[in-house]
Amino acid sequence: MGWIVEDISKIADVFNGATPSTKEERNYGGNIVWITPKDLSDQQSKFVYYGERNITQKGYDSCSTHMLPVGTVLMSSRAPIGLLSIAKSELCTNQGFKSFVPKKETLGSYLYYYIRLHIKQIEDGSQNLVDGLLHHTVYHGGYP
């Protein structure tokens, strides 16, 4: 089988995160896993299961974050840029991320390593990291 060339957006749906108001204490301390770039900055693994803070259902409902499935590839798009992880639990993120939900479950690890390998090119190719990534050409050997 030859290589297939297409925009990364053809193999993953992209979601933004959000932050509930920090002025409202009832938004935090619940059972919804909520990830920030800080949660990835010290990790040694390519997987993330939980973050430092959880949010409540009230917090989730109060902002535009999205519940993301296991296997989602998380990429920090704000300081620091380029931290990567694969969700190993259902979770949501703050606005410091672009999250890629593979359209086929088997593409998660591929996307993780592809983005990791090309992060400098993606950053250098566009002032807007997300536009640079969404219009980045992906080469893959077909959908496994």
Side-chain angles (χ1 to χ4, degrees), residues 3 10 23 31 34 45 57-58 71 99-100 102 119 123:
W3 288 95
K10 298 285 186 183
K23 293 178 182 176
N31 60 0
W34 182 68
S45 171
Q57 187 64 49
K58 180 184 184 320
S99 300
F100 299 87
I119 195 70
E123 289 177 46

Side-chain angles (χ1 to χ4, degrees), residues 72-143:
T72 299
V73 178
L74 310 175
M75 180 187 73
S76 64
S77 57
R78 296 185 180 182
I81 292 173
L83 297 176
L84 291 172
S85 194
I86 298 175
K88 281 301 210 178
S89 60
E90 188 176 60
L91 52 76
C92 55
T93 68
N94 77 354
Q95 66 278 5
F97 284 93
K98 297 304 173 193
S99 300
F100 299 87
V101 178
K103 293 184 179 183
K104 290 209 176 228
E105 187 177 317
T106 55
L107 289 174
S109 286
Y110 179 83
L111 275 173
Y112 172 88
Y113 286 110
Y114 187 89
I115 295 169
R116 184 172 166 192
L117 179 65
H118 293 12
I119 195 70
K120 272 297 182 206
Q121 294 167 314
I122 293 164
E123 289 177 46
D124 294 344
S126 174
Q127 290 181 349
N128 183 329
L129 179 65
V130 177
D131 284 346
L133 183 57
L134 291 180
H135 301 300
H136 196 79
T137 302
V138 176
Y139 299 87
H140 59 93
Y143 299 130

